[in-house]
Amino acid sequence: MKIENAKAQMRKGVLEYCILSVLSDHDAYASDIINKLKEAKMIVVEGTLYPLLTRLKNSELLGYRWEESSQGPPRKYYEITEKGKEFLNELDDSWKELVDAVAFIRNYEQRTD
Amino acid sequence: MKIENAKAQMRKGVLEYCILSVLSDHDAYASDIINKLKEAKMIVVEGTLYPLLTRLKNSELLGYRWEESSQGPPRKYYEITEKGKEFLNELDDSWKELVDAVAFIRNYEQRTD
DNA sequence: TTATAGTACCTTGCAATACATGGTACTATA
DNA sequence: TATAGTACCATGTATTGCAAGGTACTATAA
């Protein structure tokens, strides 16, 4: 369905912004992050999240540590780095500019209706 | 520069939304569209716009007609179709959901600071 | 008439990311 | 020992923004 495809395209670039946001609040492991995003109605699956976390870690925007779990296998807790925080600020600016641009275009269109 | 790359990624999916918005207001040719988007600080170049207009036309979301110009070559005026208007509404909903999701995540993060 | 500038449109291949799919591994419990 | 629940992972596909190089029409200058 074409709108689903458009939604996926709109998520490109925004997901890393959201993940860095979630982690700037507190450290988390993958399942935590998925649940936090789900609360915001940003539905992300593991197949998307793990490669993205790896990419962010490789870019030194995130770090991680292993922690034992009282049940099940050990968990990989991710944390944002200083570099990640700086990048998050830049993403914040970019996102706001984009939202403003879209609002300008949409409001301009509706004003002339 | 990595932030420029992130910006390009954030524009994926959003550009077609903006272009359909611009054209739902009034018909336009490429240069018009580029200028309208520039007013909103959405910088788009021809190499991006022409393939996208072609894709939208092939998806029957847009139609076009040629019009002579008093100076220079003839111009291709694009217009949105009924199907395009319906899709624009769906894109509008999707965009708003995304913006709400991001706001939820960002506000949650700042509330706990 | 020819050459040039301005304007309009176009094609193609590359880079980057979301994600589906299939997989491995650890731990607790039966 | 086998199984269920949970956690993590790799890879290839699909899609779009866009840089780069191109063609073509029209008016104007030479």
Side-chain angles (χ1 to χ4, degrees), chain A:
Chain A
M1 208 270 197
K2 197 161 158 47
I3 192 61
E4 290 307 314
N5 178 61
K7 281 179 169 178
Q9 292 304 328
M10 283 181 172
R11 284 197 286 272
K12 282 183 194 289
V14 176
L15 270 181
E16 73 173 350
Y17 174 42
C18 291
I19 287 166
L20 289 174
S21 288
V22 166
L23 290 170
S24 75
D25 179 29
H26 60 279
D27 298 354
Y29 73 113
S31 194
D32 271 348
I33 297 172
I34 286 176
N35 289 334
K36 285 282 185 242
L37 297 176
K38 183 176 276 185
E39 282 180 44
K41 295 183 182 172
M42 176 82 77
I43 309 301
V44 177
V45 295
E46 295 169 2
T48 299
L49 186 57
Y50 284 109
L52 180 43
L53 287 172
T54 302
R55 274 203 314 278
L56 293 171
K57 189 254 301 170
N58 290 343
S59 299
E60 300 177 340
L61 303 175
L62 294 182
Y64 70 86
R65 68 180 187 282
W66 284 100
E67 230 178 68
E68 297 294 315
S69 167
S70 56
Q71 47 183 288
R75 297 168 175 171
K76 210 171 193 178
Y77 275 86
Y78 284 91
E79 63 206 9
I80 193 168
T81 60
E82 280 307 311
K83 186 175 175 181
K85 287 176 187 173
E86 288 164 19
F87 191 60
L88 175 57
N89 282 341
E90 293 178 20
L91 286 173
D92 205 39
D93 291 341
S94 297
W95 174 251
K96 281 167 177 166
E97 282 172 23
L98 186 70
V99 171
D100 284 348
V102 171
F104 185 101
I105 292 163
R106 285 304 282 164
N107 288 345
Y108 187 98
E109 177 259 345
Q110 281 159 358
R111 181 165 73 244
T112 60
D113 268 354

Side-chain angles (χ1 to χ4, degrees), chain B residues 18-67:
Chain B
C18 291
I19 286 164
L20 289 174
S21 288
V22 166
L23 290 170
S24 74
D25 179 28
H26 59 277
D27 299 354
Y29 74 112
S31 193
D32 271 348
I33 297 171
I34 287 177
N35 289 335
K36 286 283 185 240
L37 296 177
K38 183 176 277 184
E39 283 181 43
K41 293 183 183 171
M42 176 82 77
I43 309 301
V44 177
V45 295
E46 295 169 4
T48 299
L49 186 57
Y50 285 109
L52 181 40
L53 287 173
T54 302
R55 275 205 310 280
L56 293 172
K57 189 253 303 171
N58 290 343
S59 299
E60 300 175 338
L61 304 175
L62 293 182
Y64 70 85
R65 68 181 187 282
W66 285 99
E67 229 177 68

